Amino acid sequence: MASTSIPAPGPTVGFDLDMTLIDSRPGIHACWVELSERTGTYVDADLVVTRLGPPLAEEMAYWFPAEQIPEMADLYRELYPAYAITGTLAMPGAREAVDAVQAAGGRAIVVTAKWQPNAELHMEHLGLAPDAVIGNLWAEQKGEALREHGASVYVGDHTGDVRGARIAKALSVAVATGPCSAEELTEAGAEVVLGDLTEFPGWFSDYRADCLPARA
């Protein structure tokens, strides 16, 4: 009697959001311009969008006194849906990367420093359908969520993402599409560095093949 085998489920892969899955620079730029106009506070929005990744409060600290940051962050998040969602685009290869994980029977999750409701709005607007979206986490904090979801791979564009992967003991796959160069990502400890997500499906196929048990 021939034996049957059930294919092993695919791995859980975490993805960062800004400058990994989405190019949010146009939308974030527009949101900061509106915030600047409403508050009368000078903000160099061109500069802001060159250093996306860290939590909003860190960027706010460049432009507002510490005591105003909570209020300004709330206002920014309030403005965000109207000014930042429609101007944001999917990064090249983003859809294919998520599809590659899910087609292999795996789970694709988003773990981001962005406020979770706004991260979910981006996914809905762009028609991306990850299995989970976890927000409000940065760097090492991301490792906690990755561990909870059993992620074995984390894909991001920032050295903070590399640190998060390390905490979770997940393979750090970096894409050189954000503020950090390929050299910086490698020096931070990324095990794999891709030019962008268009290279991910091919890499993931090889990774899956290497992970599958050898057949007798």
Side-chain angles (χ1 to χ4, degrees):
M1 179 176 176
S3 63
T4 59
S5 61
I6 300 174
T12 294
V13 177
F15 291 91
D16 174 50
L17 188 59
D18 290 309
M19 302 313 298
T20 298
L21 284 177
I22 64 173
D23 183 352
S24 51
R25 291 172 297 183
I28 287 176
H29 187 283
C31 195
W32 276 98
V33 167
E34 180 64 18
L35 181 70
S36 177
E37 292 179 354
R38 291 202 184 197
T39 61
T41 300
Y42 171 74
V43 174
D44 185 344
D46 291 335
L47 177 59
V48 169
V49 296
T50 67
R51 52 192 184 201
L52 300 182
L56 177 61
E58 289 192 18
E59 186 61 46
M60 286 278 174
Y62 289 105
W63 312 107
F64 296 97
E67 65 274 12
Q68 292 183 15
I69 290 175
E71 179 186 359
M72 293 300 101
D74 286 346
L75 177 57
Y76 175 90
R77 289 171 178 140
E78 179 183 329
L79 295 171
Y80 196 96
Y83 290 90
I85 300 298
T86 58
T88 291
L89 305 172
M91 292 292 283
R95 300 178 195 281
E96 293 82 359
V98 171
D99 288 347
V101 174
Q102 294 174 332
R107 297 178 71 247
I109 65 172
V110 173
V111 183
T112 174
K114 192 179 296 296
W115 194 48
Q116 186 167 316
N118 286 338
E120 291 169 346
L121 285 176
H122 279 302
M123 297 296 92
E124 180 181 353
H125 176 255
L126 293 172
L128 293 171
D131 296 279
V133 177
I134 305 98
N136 315 327
L137 299 174
W138 165 240
E140 288 82 0
Q141 295 172 335
K142 292 183 174 186
E144 300 170 10
L146 293 168
R147 274 202 309 258
E148 289 175 4
H149 286 265
S152 57
V153 177
Y154 186 53
V155 185
D157 66 283
H158 199 282
T159 55
D161 299 323
V162 178
R163 302 202 305 273
R166 184 183 302 122
I167 290 294
K169 294 182 170 55
L171 184 73
S172 174
V173 177
V175 284
T177 50
C180 300
S181 67
E183 292 74 18
E184 289 172 317
L185 294 164
T186 299
E187 289 174 4
E191 286 109 334
V192 177
V193 179
L194 307 176
D196 59 33
L197 282 181
T198 63
E199 300 174 20
F200 179 85
W203 172 84
F204 184 69
S205 177
D206 292 341
Y207 168 78
R208 285 278 291 140
D210 289 342
C211 290
L212 290 173
R215 295 187 178 182

